């Protein structure tokens, strides 16, 4: 199958492209810098320009039968008025332009749009969130809600659509784990804020396997949580990471210190969600790394 991947130059996208190629698919990436992206990707991958917020012609999809949408402004930037506008616009208008191009192209049968567990809102509650749980009300939740609403419009064009709410993807090459490793390696890691907030995490290999399952199974429509079946609290996460590294993890960063340093964006760490991947488990998906200790052991070996 020919699969177009937006954000094919990113932390998740580059590995997803490799996995799709290994699985026998033909891959076309939609990125801001085609030459740079293709230099990091396997031979045979093609590309076209996609800038979220700008119109996209149907020819950019190059006859793709499936589209995976990963592109968007990083959310881990300062949430200034301008930063928030960029985050919201890149995701909402970017998805709108992509769906318009898919409708016009007429070749796309399957759409997998990747959102985030932030959909459920930042909370310190331990209440499990399944795909049926309502959205939250903070900034990230409203971005995810508007972004998913745009993605879901592909269904009106008869395109089978899955919206994926992904947890924190763990791999030393990028994302949360990459950011946490330096202080933890120095023995300066530990819980942040109350430590009771939940972290919904997923080993990158499981995230990639889940995305491939969804690309290849158009019968799986609607929302899917993509995070390990065993989320942990921030304190448990810090302890597991310290243990995996053989380093102490007893430091504590008080919430007000993080708020002073990062502003409103600190809520991404000080609050969390206890997310359960109910629909993927019901679909028979098997997590290779359901437990954090084994995931970290594998990632840090
Ligand atoms: N990593 C996680 O833990 C995690 C968790 C939940 C959800 N997600 C979501 O999953 C997606 C992929 O995550 P990731 O970690 O791979 O992100 P990433 O490494 O930041 O990659 C994002 C991709 O989006 C592209 N991009 C950024 N702004 C853009 C814009 N204005 N127009 C067009 N393309 C733009 C980037 O292209 P350039 O190469 O040109 O910069 C890059 O290819 C993102 O939407 C992210 O929010 C990630």
């Amino acid at each position: 199958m020919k699969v177009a991947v937006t954000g094919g130059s990113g932390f998740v996208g580059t590995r997803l492209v490799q996995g799709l190629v290994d699985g026998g698919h033909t891959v076309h990436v939609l990125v801001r810098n085609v030459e740079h992206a293709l230099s990091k990707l396997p031979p045979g991958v093609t590309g076209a320009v996609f800038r979220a917020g700008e119109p996209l012609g149907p020819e950019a999809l190059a006859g793709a039968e499936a589209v995976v949408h990963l592109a968007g402004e990083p959310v881990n930037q300062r949430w200034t008025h301008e930063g928030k506008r960029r985050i919201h616009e890149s995701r909402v208008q970017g998805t709108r332009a992509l769906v318009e191009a898919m409708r016009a192209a007429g070749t796309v049968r399957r759409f997998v749009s990747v959102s985030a567990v932030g959909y459920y809102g930042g909370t310190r509650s331990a209440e499990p969130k399944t795909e049926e749980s309502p959205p939250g009300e903070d900034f990230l939740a409203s971005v995810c809600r508007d972004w998913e609403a745009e993605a879901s419009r592909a269904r009106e064009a008869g395109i089978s659509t899955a919206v994926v709410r992904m947890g924190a993807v763990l791999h030393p090459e990028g994302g949360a784990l990459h950011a946490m490793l330096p202080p933890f390696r120095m023995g300066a890691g530990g819980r942040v804020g109350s430590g009771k907030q939940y972290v919904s995490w997923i080993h990158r290999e499981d995230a990639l396997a889940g995305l491939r399952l969804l690309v290849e199974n158009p019968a799986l429509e609607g929302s899917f949580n993509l995070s390990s079946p065993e989320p942990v609290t921030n304190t448990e996460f810090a302890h597991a990471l310290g243990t995996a590294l053989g380093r102490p993890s007893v430091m504590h960063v008080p919430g007000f210190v993080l708020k002073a340093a990062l502003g409103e964006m600190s809520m991404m760490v000080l609050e969390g969600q206890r997310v359960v991947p109910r629909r993927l488990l019901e679909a028979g998906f098997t997590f290779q790394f359901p437990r954090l200790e084994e995931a970290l052991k594998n990632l840090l070996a």
Side-chain angles (χ1 to χ4, degrees):
M1 178 162 61
K2 185 161 194 175
V3 187
V5 180
T6 76
S9 54
F11 166 55
V12 174
T14 45
R15 300 306 302 170
L16 178 68
V17 170
Q18 181 70 58
L20 289 168
V21 169
D22 292 346
H25 298 289
T26 306
V27 182
H28 177 73
V29 290
L30 294 167
V31 290
R32 289 187 288 193
N33 185 332
V34 176
E35 202 181 329
H36 182 246
L38 295 186
S39 72
K40 298 198 280 182
L41 295 170
V45 173
T46 55
V49 174
F50 172 64
R51 289 193 192 89
E54 294 181 14
L56 185 71
E59 69 289 346
L61 292 168
E65 297 147 275
V67 175
V68 184
H69 183 30
L70 292 166
E73 278 279 331
V75 294
N76 59 346
Q77 56 178 288
R78 274 222 164 240
W79 289 1
T80 57
H81 183 70
E82 181 54 23
K84 281 180 164 180
R85 189 194 59 75
R86 274 201 308 271
I87 292 169
H88 190 270
E89 275 188 22
S90 75
R91 280 145 204 286
V92 176
Q93 292 181 12
T95 307
R96 188 177 303 157
L98 183 64
V99 170
E100 288 301 317
M102 282 164 37
R103 292 172 89 120
T107 54
V108 180
R109 304 277 166 262
R110 178 63 167 160
F111 182 38
V112 177
S113 187
V114 179
S115 170
V117 294
Y119 171 87
Y120 300 108
T123 163
R124 288 166 208 176
S125 142
E127 185 199 329
K129 308 284 186 194
T130 70
E131 289 84 355
E132 280 72 47
S133 302
E137 287 176 0
D138 53 50
F139 167 66
L140 267 194
S142 69
V143 170
C144 292
R145 199 188 52 227
D146 295 352
W147 177 15
E148 293 189 11
E150 288 296 337
S152 300
R153 292 179 59 204
R155 284 194 202 112
E156 293 162 19
I159 298 168
S160 148
T161 301
V163 168
V164 181
R165 298 180 187 140
M166 196 157 70
V169 179
L170 299 188
H171 196 281
E173 280 173 10
L177 187 59
H178 177 73
M180 291 170 84
L181 278 176
F184 274 80
R185 281 201 165 117
M186 288 192 305
R191 76 187 156 92
V192 179
S194 73
K196 291 181 186 161
Q197 68 277 32
Y198 269 82
V199 182
S200 290
W201 61 275
I202 184 164
H203 188 298
R204 190 168 69 177
E205 283 310 311
D206 278 334
L208 298 174
L211 290 173
R212 284 200 301 272
L213 175 91
L214 290 169
V215 171
E216 290 166 356
N217 289 278
L220 299 175
E221 290 207 72
S223 309
F224 289 86
N225 292 336
L226 183 57
S227 60
S228 119
E230 295 190 29
V232 294
T233 64
N234 175 277
T235 299
E236 289 166 341
F237 195 104
H239 179 71
L241 183 53
T243 305
L245 292 168
R247 307 294 293 158
S249 56
V250 291
M251 300 295 274
H252 172 222
V253 182
F256 73 87
V257 173
L258 205 72
K259 262 189 205 145
L262 302 179
E264 189 186 348
M265 198 257 275
S266 61
M267 64 81 67
M268 283 175 55
V269 184
L270 295 173
E271 297 174 16
Q273 314 77 18
R274 186 179 190 176
V275 172
V276 182
R278 193 164 87 187
R279 292 200 63 211
L280 269 182
L281 292 172
E282 282 170 3
F285 181 70
T286 309
F287 285 82
Q288 205 187 333
F289 300 100
R291 299 197 60 244
L292 183 62
E293 287 74 10
E294 274 109 58
L296 290 174
K297 201 169 151 193
N298 172 270
L299 289 164
L300 302 170

